[in-house]
Amino acid sequence: MGPAAGGATVGEEPLVAQWRRAGADDVRVAADLSELADLVAAATGPVLVSGVDLVAHTAVLRHLATSPVGPTVALVLTDPPADGRATVREERGQVVAVGDADATGVFGGALRVGVADLPALADAARAAAAPFGGVAAAGPSTGPFGGVEAAGPSTGPMGGAEAAGPATVVGGPLAAVDRLVAELAARGTLIFAHRVRLLVAHRVGDAAERADAEAAVAAVDEDRAELRLSVKERDDFFTTFFVSTWSPYVTKASARIGIGPTGVTMVSVAFAVAAAVLFGAGGRPALVAGAVLLYLGFVLDCVDGQLARYTRHFSAWGGWLDTMADRFKEYVVYAGLGFGATHAGFRYGWALALAAMTLQTVRHMTDTWYGALHDEAARRPKVVGGDAGGIGGKLNAASTRVQADTGSVSYWLKRTVVFPIGERWALIAVATALFGPLVALCAVLLWGALAFAYTGGLRTLRARWMRVPVLTTVDAGLHRDDGPLARVLPVARRPLVSAALGALASVALLVWAWWATRRDGTPPAWPVAVALVVLLVAALGARARHDGPLDWLVPAALRAAEYLFAIAVGVVGRAPVWLIFGYVLVLTLHHYDLTARLEKRQAAPPLHTATLGWEGRSLLLTAAAITGFVSFALATLTAYLFVVFVASVVLAWVVLPTRARGGARSPG
């Protein structure tokens, strides 16, 4: 881009002002990429980099700066490819290739780089500044194009750069900021994509294009677009048509009165607890009122996320709390339904609630790890197993086609059949109001089991085709929830097989315990010890390498094994079913904490070792079954694990961050 009058680059001053309005305290323009590298090397906080050819709403820059998807995020546009601009390929929200032939978008000329990736950014800036150092490509070199600005918080210096060096691509030379992102991607940096929707952002090459882009920006009501953007672009059927049609009004009202996302989450929890109490009380008026409260609680569950997106108030604590609150609310409702069904005269009301909670937790574990599997697969070559035309590849292609056909019947069927949270809460509310808690629990179990079979079968086939060992990218022992005993046992080469054997042992013990209780009333305890020996076979995979194509199922198998074993021990010991439910509920909170930390890329809970591991807890329950103190052991372990969970939460989100801030303020 040519220089403006007075020596300034056209568009430079407005963009600097926009970055400041977007929240950047310190905005600088560097002379070249080498100067940008020096500024980045001295930075102590996230750095925002943009080219001066960008024309966009201020909200676009603010959304990029505050995006919660990951530490390093690039702006991606749907504009047609143009000379000097890098194309990108995006999969599952990640920029997996720059300059790829199968491009899905164009780099928007702006990116935010997290602290951990700043060394890579500095290296990329130095490489992009060197002659022919940016992108290996071919084509005529027509000279420098555009420039780069960097903007960010006052915790670190910001910089920008004029284009330098003749690195080119077919069709024209890359601008400096495009060479920068290409070099950053080439270094293996995980870059997430931020797409512009409803708002306007364009990269311009001349005065006419700039005028057109500025006119397009002025034609859009920024606040109205931001409110619409607070709603997820793709959501489930019930949420899309029965919640999101009016929840933005609640979102705007909440923003006006000053309530934050966490406050909305807590109100949603209160509504769910009240609904559970009414479900337990029984009677048609109470059941209908509970169904209404459950629906309103779900609306607020959507509003807390919409409010966070609308106000750009994101935090790791808020994301963690939202995840944990969702599961707690659902399982408290199951408890209310179980109590209500039992109170109405059905003997196995609590047992159905316990089965629903166990099934849903195991399903969630497979959902979490399958998502992680797909994220990892997106960063790898497309054809890993060499069987692109096999059944797994065909299923993957079919799924991609359906997902792309937004709004079609097949699209909505695919999203609904998996029984997402909106459909679960809608089914519970309607079934409870019309037929009562027993029918609601049976319906949840039936649909949940069918959805589990459907997703499990298809995902297994697709995972075998992808062949991505996702557990090798994380601390497998942490997410297996292994304790000290598992770490000293011999090693089995097939961790999934050993985990499946453990789960089968728990299933067999539970079936036997139920049969023996109905037949004799007081079953003996020795089968529990036998089942424990088989269960501990699952611990033999603790130190094995989890690199099989289906090893992502190991955490879910271990959750099923532990929960079913605990339920069976409770049946053998004739413990109250509500007490067994409480114990498994506390276990689910512990395990959801692990999955929430996986999704948010956080370290292990501070007191994780104090939870004893799944095999340690199972060993204690076995000892209780042999000595005849099952109810006492369940109550004690429930209280102990809950105290450890609460203490770990306080340490992780209050004590340790406070100490870290205090250490950062101290001199030296």
Side-chain angles (χ1 to χ4, degrees):
M1 299 175 63
T9 304
V10 174
E12 179 181 301
E13 292 184 2
L15 195 57
V16 168
Q18 274 190 294
W19 274 119
R20 291 199 173 102
R21 291 197 300 273
D25 296 326
D26 186 6
V27 184
R28 306 182 191 180
V29 180
D32 52 36
L33 284 172
S34 296
E35 182 178 344
L36 174 61
D38 293 337
L39 290 170
V40 169
T44 58
V47 171
L48 292 145
V49 182
S50 72
V52 295
D53 61 346
L54 177 64
V55 176
H57 280 107
T58 301
V60 171
L61 307 184
R62 183 168 61 251
H63 292 181
L64 178 67
T66 58
S67 175
V69 298
T72 298
V73 188
L75 190 66
V76 177
L77 307 178
T78 56
D79 292 356
D83 289 354
R85 296 166 193 173
T87 57
V88 300
R89 179 163 61 86
E90 174 194 354
E91 289 187 20
R92 292 184 62 83
Q94 304 171 67
V95 175
V96 296
V98 176
D100 191 84
D102 298 324
T104 58
V106 176
F107 175 52
L111 69 157
R112 186 195 70 202
V113 182
V115 175
D117 294 328
L118 290 183
L121 178 63
D123 290 343
R126 293 188 184 96
F132 300 96
V135 180
S141 174
T142 58
F145 178 90
V148 179
E149 284 185 357
S154 57
T155 53
M158 300 301 133
E162 289 291 333
T168 61
V169 293
V170 175
L174 280 182
V177 69
D178 297 85
R179 297 204 309 276
L180 185 66
V181 75
E183 286 288 349
L184 190 62
R187 281 159 173 72
T189 304
L190 178 57
I191 304 174
F192 291 87
H194 177 79
R195 281 200 172 260
V196 178
R197 186 167 62 95
L198 302 180
L199 295 166
V200 176
H202 295 295
R203 297 180 67 181
V204 298
D206 55 38
E209 289 183 2
R210 178 172 293 278
D212 290 342
E214 289 173 348
V217 168
V220 175
D221 186 324
E222 193 168 13
D223 183 69
R224 179 176 296 182
E226 285 199 271
L227 186 60
R228 290 177 60 191
L229 283 170
S230 69
V231 178
K232 290 181 180 178
E233 182 178 7
R234 293 189 175 190
D235 218 327
D236 303 313
F237 183 85
F238 180 79
T239 306
T240 298
F241 294 104
F242 295 93
V243 176
S244 297
T245 51
W246 66 279
S247 59
Y249 299 107
V250 182
T251 298
K252 183 136 190 179
S254 300
R256 283 180 174 174
I257 64 177
I259 185 173
T262 299
V264 174
T265 299
M266 301 314 296
V267 176
S268 174
V269 170
F271 275 39
V273 171
V277 171
L278 291 170
F279 291 160
R284 190 62 57 194
L287 296 179
V288 172
V292 173
L293 284 177
L294 187 64
Y295 169 68
L296 294 177
F298 180 67
V299 172
L300 293 177
D301 182 48
C302 298
V303 167
D304 61 5
Q306 293 173 8
L307 185 60
R309 288 185 287 273
Y310 181 59
T311 60
R312 311 308 294 176
H313 289 165
F314 299 110
S315 67
W317 158 252
W320 179 91
L321 180 65
D322 183 59
T323 298
M324 301 301 294
D326 284 351
R327 304 288 72 79
F328 175 77
K329 288 183 294 185
E330 185 170 0
Y331 295 163
V332 164
V333 169
Y334 289 171
L337 293 173
F339 180 86
T342 304
H343 185 66
F346 182 68
R347 179 180 178 184
Y348 298 107
W350 274 109
L352 289 178
L354 186 53
M357 179 171 63
T358 301
L359 173 63
Q360 193 55 47
T361 302
V362 174
R363 283 191 62 209
H364 276 141
M365 296 299 135
T366 61
D367 291 345
T368 297
W369 285 101
Y370 188 70
L373 175 82
H374 256 292
D375 290 342
E376 182 65 22
R379 296 189 286 270
R380 299 191 179 207
K382 286 186 177 181
V383 180
V384 180
D387 184 18
I391 186 170
K394 292 177 180 178
L395 287 172
N396 191 68
S399 177
T400 301
R401 285 196 302 271
V402 171
Q403 290 285 24
D405 193 13
T406 307
S408 66
V409 174
S410 58
Y411 172 84
W412 289 120
L413 284 175
K414 187 177 189 299
R415 295 195 70 92
T416 303
V417 71
V418 298
F419 204 24
I421 185 171
E423 277 65 14
R424 290 199 304 275
W425 284 44
L427 178 64
I428 291 171
V430 173
T432 305
L434 296 180
F435 307 108
L438 176 59
V439 173
L441 282 172
C442 290
V444 166
L445 276 169
L446 178 60
W447 193 345
L450 291 175
F452 191 29
Y454 166 76
T455 57
L458 294 183
R459 288 172 176 178
T460 297
L461 292 172
R462 293 177 68 183
R464 285 182 61 85
W465 171 74
M466 288 187 288
R467 298 185 179 276
V468 176
V470 65
L471 274 169
T472 60
T473 66
V474 297
D475 182 350
L478 170 66
H479 293 288
R480 285 172 50 99
D481 194 25
D482 291 325
L485 179 60
R487 290 192 288 268
V488 299
L489 290 175
V491 179
R493 292 184 178 180
R494 297 182 179 272
L496 178 59
V497 173
S498 61
L501 286 174
L504 288 175
S506 295
V507 171
L509 178 64
L510 180 57
V511 172
W512 171 84
W514 178 79
W515 175 81
T517 301
R518 287 181 59 85
R519 181 187 178 192
D520 303 324
T522 307
W526 63 264
V528 176
V530 174
L532 176 69
V533 173
V534 182
L535 177 64
L536 289 179
V537 170
L540 300 180
R543 292 182 292 139
R545 183 171 173 81
H546 292 61
D547 55 2
L550 299 181
D551 283 350
W552 58 277
L553 291 168
V554 167
L558 292 177
R559 300 298 85 80
E562 181 182 8
Y563 297 172
L564 294 175
F565 185 83
I567 295 169
V569 170
V571 172
V572 169
R574 305 189 67 80
V577 186
W578 60 264
L579 179 58
I580 304 173
F581 184 95
Y583 175 70
V584 177
L585 174 60
V586 172
L587 287 181
T588 65
L589 293 178
H590 165 61
H591 291 133
Y592 277 119
D593 185 20
L594 293 180
T595 58
R597 290 172 179 277
L598 170 70
E599 293 168 349
K600 306 301 180 184
R601 303 171 192 85
Q602 295 169 339
L607 300 178
H608 178 68
T609 55
T611 61
L612 309 176
W614 65 268
E615 80 285 3
R617 296 186 293 265
S618 300
L619 185 61
L620 289 177
L621 289 180
T622 302
I626 294 173
T627 57
F629 292 98
V630 171
S631 294
F632 175 79
L634 283 172
T636 303
L637 272 175
T638 300
Y640 169 75
L641 292 173
F642 184 72
V643 169
V644 169
F645 172 76
V646 172
S648 185
V649 169
V650 173
L651 280 172
W653 299 108
V654 179
V655 177
L656 296 179
T658 301
R659 289 179 180 174
R661 288 192 296 268
R665 287 194 298 266
S666 62

